[in-house]
C-alpha cells in the first residue's frame, strides 16, 4: 500500500509542476473503450503459495505435498478485461497525451497442475477464480504517420483491488482400507493404503495489485470521429494478498481499442469567401 501511495504522489507532483509551467489548458481529446486479454503471471508461483491465499487452509490435506518442479505439467492465467478511458492533451504539447482509465477484470482464472511421473499417479490441481478493479494512468507519444494512421508508445502505472475470490483444489490422497472386517477385539487390525480422489474449496483473501508497464500500438481514424486500433502492453508489478507475502507479477496484454475523437471539427466547417 505504501508503494502505491508513493507512486501516485510522485505522479501527481510531476503533473502539477508541468501544468503550472506549460501554457494553455487541458483538453479532452478522446474517450474510448478497449477489450482484451491479460496474462498477469505470478513469478515463482507454487502450490503452497496458492493454497496459502485461501482462508482457513491451515489443515488442508494438500499442503506441503512437495511436488518437484519437474512434476509441474501445466499452468495458466486467463484475464479477460474491459477498460474505459479518457485521453487528455498536454497543454502546449500536441505530441503527448495523458490517459486515465478504469479497468475491470472479471472471472480471472489462475491454475497449477502437478502429476507424479514416478508411477504413483499422485496428482494435484489448483484453480483460483477472482475479480479485480484498478485505476491507471499512461503518458504516451503520438506519431501521426498519415492523416488517418497513428502510432503510439508510452509508459504507465495502475493500482487495483482484487476481491470475490474462490479456491478449488482437486487431487489424490492416501487412505486406509480395512481388510479385516470380521476381526474381534483381540485381533490385530490390518489395512492396506490406497489412493483416492479428494477435493476442497475455500474463500480467498482480498489482494492489492500494482504494475508499471510500457505500451505500444496503432490506430486508424475513420471519418475523423472514430479511431480503431490494437495495443500491446508489457510490465512488472506485484500482487499482495492479506496474510501472504507479496509476489512479483509479469504482465503481458493485448487489446482491441475504439476511440471517439473530440475537439476540432475543422473538416466539417465550410469556408466563407467575401468579395
Amino acid at each position: 500500500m505504501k508503494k502505491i501511495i508513493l507512486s501516485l504522489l510522485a505522479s501527481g507532483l510531476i503533473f502539477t509542476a508541468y501544468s503550472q509551467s506549460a501554457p494553455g489548458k487541458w483538453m479532452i481529446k478522446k474517450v474510448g473503450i478497449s477489450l482484451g486479454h491479460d496474462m498477469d503471471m505470478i513469478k515463482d508461483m507454487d502450490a503452497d503459495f496458492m493454497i496459502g491465499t485461501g482462508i482457513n487452509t491451515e489443515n488442508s490435506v494438500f499442503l506441503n505435498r512437495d511436488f518437484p518442479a519437474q512434476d509441474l505439467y501445466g499452468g495458466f492465467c486467463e484475464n479477460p478485461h474491459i477498460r474505459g478511458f479518457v485521453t487528455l492533451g498536454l497543454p502546449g504539447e500536441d505530441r503527448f497525451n495523458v490517459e486515465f482509465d478504469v479497468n475491470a477484470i472479471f472471472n480471472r482464472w489462475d491454475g497449477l497442475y502437478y502429476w507424479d511421473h514416478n508411477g504413483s499417479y499422485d496428482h494435484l490441481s489448483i484453480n483460483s477464480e477472482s475479480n479485480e478493479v484498478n485505476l491507471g494512468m499512461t503518458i504516451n507519444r503520438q506519431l501521426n504517420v498519415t492523416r488517418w494512421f497513428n502510432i503510439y508508445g508510452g509508459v504507465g502505472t495502475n493500482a487495483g483491488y482484487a476481491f470475490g475470490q474462490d479456491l478449488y483444489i482437486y487431487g489424490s490422497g492416501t487412505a486406509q482400507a480395512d481388510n479385516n472386517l470380521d476381526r474381534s477385539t483381540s485381533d490385530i487390525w490390518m489395512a492396506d493404503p490406497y489412493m483416492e480422489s479428494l477435493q476442497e474449496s475455500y474463500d480467498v483473501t482480498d489482494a492489492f495489485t500494482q504494475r508499471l508497464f510500457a505500451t505500444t500500438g496503432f490506430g486508424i481514424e475513420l471519418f475523423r470521429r472514430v479511431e480503431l486500433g490494437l495495443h500491446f502492453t508489457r510490465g512488472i508489478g506485484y500482487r499482495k494478498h492479506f496474510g501472504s507475502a507479496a509476489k512479483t507479477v509479469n504482465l503481458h496484454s493485448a487489446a482491441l481499442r475504439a476511440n471517439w475523437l473530440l475537439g476540432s471539427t475543422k473538416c466539417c466547417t465550410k469556408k466563407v469567401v467575401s468579395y
Side-chain angles (χ1 to χ4, degrees):
M1 188 63 180
K2 184 178 179 181
K3 294 180 181 179
I4 297 175
I5 294 174
L6 290 175
S7 61
L8 292 178
L9 179 61
S11 300
L13 292 174
I14 292 172
F15 282 105
T16 298
Y18 183 89
S19 61
Q20 290 176 348
S21 61
K25 297 181 179 180
W26 292 88
M27 180 183 67
I28 299 178
K29 297 174 65 175
K30 309 173 187 178
V31 294
I33 190 172
S34 69
L35 301 172
H37 178 267
D38 289 352
M39 290 192 298
D40 202 26
M41 298 180 291
I42 298 177
K43 185 179 180 180
D44 299 327
M45 185 168 66
D46 56 27
D48 286 345
F49 168 76
M50 287 196 69
I51 296 174
T53 62
I55 299 174
N56 299 323
T57 59
E58 296 84 0
N59 297 319
S60 171
V61 298
F62 299 108
L63 273 176
N64 303 316
R65 295 293 292 273
D66 296 325
F67 278 95
Q70 60 267 25
D71 286 347
L72 177 64
Y73 74 88
F76 71 92
C77 49
E78 295 289 339
N79 307 288
H81 73 257
I82 179 171
R83 177 181 285 111
F85 52 86
V86 58
T87 302
L88 306 178
L90 285 176
E93 181 55 77
D94 294 334
R95 297 172 298 172
F96 289 90
N97 303 316
V98 180
E99 292 184 351
F100 297 94
D101 67 83
V102 178
N103 182 30
I105 301 172
F106 296 112
N107 299 321
R108 172 170 58 199
W109 278 91
D110 295 313
L112 285 177
Y113 307 100
Y114 294 87
W115 185 274
D116 185 1
H117 293 85
N118 295 321
S120 69
Y121 302 106
D122 199 11
H123 62 279
L124 181 62
S125 171
I126 308 173
N127 299 289
S128 175
E129 182 181 7
S130 62
N131 308 295
E132 180 184 334
V133 174
N134 61 60
L135 302 177
M137 180 180 67
T138 304
I139 306 173
N140 66 50
R141 169 73 156 84
Q142 178 176 334
L143 176 62
N144 304 110
V145 179
T146 69
R147 187 173 181 178
W148 51 269
F149 184 74
N150 305 315
I151 296 177
Y152 299 92
V155 295
T157 183
N158 65 33
Y161 191 80
F163 60 94
Q165 305 180 80
D166 297 296
L167 184 68
Y168 306 97
I169 312 172
Y170 307 89
S172 55
T174 303
Q176 293 291 116
D178 190 349
N179 295 331
N180 197 359
L181 300 178
D182 297 326
R183 70 189 183 280
S184 65
T185 55
S186 61
D187 290 331
I188 298 175
W189 178 72
M190 301 181 64
D192 293 327
Y194 70 98
M195 300 297 293
E196 68 174 354
S197 294
L198 305 173
Q199 64 181 32
E200 298 175 349
S201 61
Y202 301 93
D203 293 329
V204 176
T205 56
D206 293 349
F208 286 109
T209 63
Q210 187 181 25
R211 306 167 188 90
L212 299 173
F213 54 83
T215 181
T216 186
F218 66 87
I220 298 173
E221 293 187 17
L222 304 175
F223 312 111
R224 292 197 174 185
R225 279 305 181 199
V226 177
E227 183 183 37
L228 303 178
L230 181 63
H231 287 249
F232 303 93
T233 300
R234 292 286 302 271
I236 60 173
Y238 70 90
R239 190 186 304 177
K240 176 67 172 70
H241 287 269
F242 295 116
S244 300
K247 280 282 190 177
T248 301
V249 298
N250 293 307
L251 174 65
H252 301 244
S253 177
L256 294 172
R257 184 161 165 171
N259 298 323
W260 180 255
L261 306 180
L262 304 174
S264 175
T265 57
K266 291 182 180 180
C267 65
C268 305
T269 303
K270 294 183 179 180
K271 183 177 180 180
V272 179
V273 179
S274 299
Y275 295 95

